[in-house]
Amino acid sequence: MKHFLTLSSVLWLLPVVAYSSTATQSVDQKYKTETQNVCAKIGRKLSSVSVKECNALSFDVPRFYSVGGLPILEKHFPATHADAPKILFIGGIHGDEYSSVSVTFKWLSTLNKHHSGAYDWHFLPLANPDGLLQSRSSRVNQNNVDLNRNFISAPDFPEPLVHWKKKARERSRYYPGQAPLSEPESRVIHQLIEEYRPDIVVSVHAPHGILDFDGSNLQPPKKLGPLHLRQLGTYPGSLGNYAWFVKRIPVMTIELEHAGIMPASIDISRMWTDLVSWVGEKTVERNQVVLSEPQ
Ligand SMILES: [Zn+2]
């Protein structure tokens, strides 16, 4: 009897197991195809990022999509210990700042080879895929919204739409959308800030050729490679305004010198090593503060 029951259970389960396996395979294939498609588009658009380099990064299974249905690529590099600093790294929130995407890919490739596990990194190398990957790239997303004005404003700042009408002369490049977080691309970043809880957000732009920093709880680096610190202040609805003034998470904004010309390889390396050593210094300082607190 026992034998009969076991055999019948196995036979009954077989079709279910076979079906699940096929379903998992097709879901995996769907994700793989989506990622490969977007890598093919990136490789065609950016002369500094090859399709092979993009695919070699083995992006995480896509979870988020743009207005136009493109996956928003993500790559998480987990730390080996739970209290490691967490860094949310964002490239290409403005689709016409090509270098911000290309340089982010270079740093991603470096990290992919040398990730030590000392820090926890979460990368979105192309936050506005529709803006970049159309025939004529645009700063704004497919709904003509400047994603870097589509966040929630801090209480002391005006509403982004009011500011745009009164102070930004309604210039279309800076249109913040009808309401904060109206766009799926800015909602992704908002959700990651809520769930991932980064210690710092790094966002890459061009072409001001400076290093900007929002956050008075940390001493910012004086420079990253060739970029020198110059704090510009924040705009209502910008990521810097939301992350620092609402969430108290410092934001480092790397403004590369040119939107359409890559920095020299040596400068790409120097910016990365300066960034990593600054994160290391801040970690040491943080640990010293924690250790010196009364038990
Ligand atoms: Zn920008």
Side-chain angles (χ1 to χ4, degrees):
M1 189 61 182
K2 189 170 186 284
H3 175 73
F4 170 76
L5 274 176
T6 310
L7 183 63
S8 74
S9 308
V10 168
L11 287 173
W12 184 78
L13 278 171
L14 269 176
V16 177
V17 171
Y19 172 76
S20 314
S21 164
T22 313
T24 309
Q25 250 179 20
S26 69
V27 167
D28 284 350
Q29 190 54 45
K30 173 181 175 281
Y31 290 142
K32 205 171 169 191
T33 308
E34 283 180 350
T35 307
Q36 285 175 347
N37 281 347
V38 85
C39 277
K41 287 175 194 278
I42 290 169
R44 277 201 297 274
K45 188 76 183 185
L46 299 173
S47 56
S48 305
V49 181
S50 69
V51 179
K52 194 176 163 196
E53 181 183 0
C54 182
N55 281 322
L57 288 164
S58 304
F59 283 101
D60 301 342
V61 170
R63 302 184 292 167
F64 305 114
Y65 296 85
S66 65
V67 174
L70 291 172
I72 296 174
L73 297 174
E74 288 182 276
K75 178 84 181 175
H76 183 219
F77 297 91
T80 48
H81 55 292
D83 59 347
K86 294 198 279 187
I87 304 126
L88 175 60
F89 206 109
I90 301 161
I93 197 167
H94 290 143
D96 57 354
E97 298 169 2
Y98 307 104
S99 60
S100 83
V101 182
S102 301
V103 169
T104 303
F105 266 89
K106 298 300 157 203
W107 290 332
L108 249 178
S109 297
T110 302
L111 193 57
N112 209 34
K113 280 189 207 125
H114 305 292
H115 178 52
S116 66
Y119 313 131
D120 195 294
W121 301 86
H122 196 92
F123 268 73
L124 299 184
L126 178 51
N128 179 8
D130 296 337
L132 176 76
L133 300 171
Q134 57 188 324
S135 53
R136 191 165 170 209
S137 300
S138 66
R139 172 184 174 94
V140 292
N141 78 344
Q142 196 167 299
N143 288 335
N144 296 316
V145 173
D146 179 350
L147 299 173
N148 202 31
R149 300 289 183 276
N150 191 235
F151 292 90
I152 297 162
S153 262
D156 297 349
F157 289 78
E159 277 298 305
L161 194 59
V162 171
H163 176 83
W164 179 71
K165 286 179 178 166
K166 289 190 174 167
K167 302 279 181 192
R169 290 177 286 138
E170 299 193 350
R171 289 171 71 192
S172 55
R173 289 170 55 71
Y174 305 104
Y175 173 58
Q178 284 302 304
L181 302 178
S182 58
E183 305 309 301
E185 298 90 350
S186 38
R187 286 200 297 271
V188 171
I189 297 169
H190 181 263
Q191 186 177 331
L192 282 171
I193 287 175
E194 292 296 316
E195 291 175 0
Y196 179 58
R197 298 182 175 275
D199 294 291
I200 179 161
V201 177
V202 180
S203 181
V204 191
H205 290 257
H208 295 294
I210 56 147
L211 174 69
D212 194 1
F213 195 86
D214 295 304
S216 53
N217 64 336
L218 291 178
Q219 184 71 36
K222 290 203 169 48
K223 65 175 190 66
L224 281 194
L227 307 176
H228 289 264
L229 181 68
R230 198 173 137 222
Q231 289 169 282
L232 301 173
T234 63
Y235 294 97
S238 68
L239 176 59
N241 187 278
Y242 171 68
W244 173 245
F245 290 94
V246 178
K247 303 298 290 186
R248 292 286 152 188
I249 298 169
V251 178
M252 178 186 286
T253 304
I254 300 174
E255 277 277 358
L256 301 168
E257 201 175 350
H258 304 285
I261 304 170
M262 284 290 272
S265 299
I266 182 79
D267 286 334
I268 296 175
S269 303
R270 283 169 53 211
M271 284 187 274
W272 180 249
T273 44
D274 284 354
L275 171 64
V276 173
S277 50
W278 177 78
V279 173
E281 279 168 28
K282 295 300 128 190
T283 310
V284 170
E285 284 170 23
R286 184 182 73 173
N287 292 345
Q288 281 167 347
V289 170
V290 171
L291 286 172
S292 64
E293 280 173 358
Q295 297 299 303

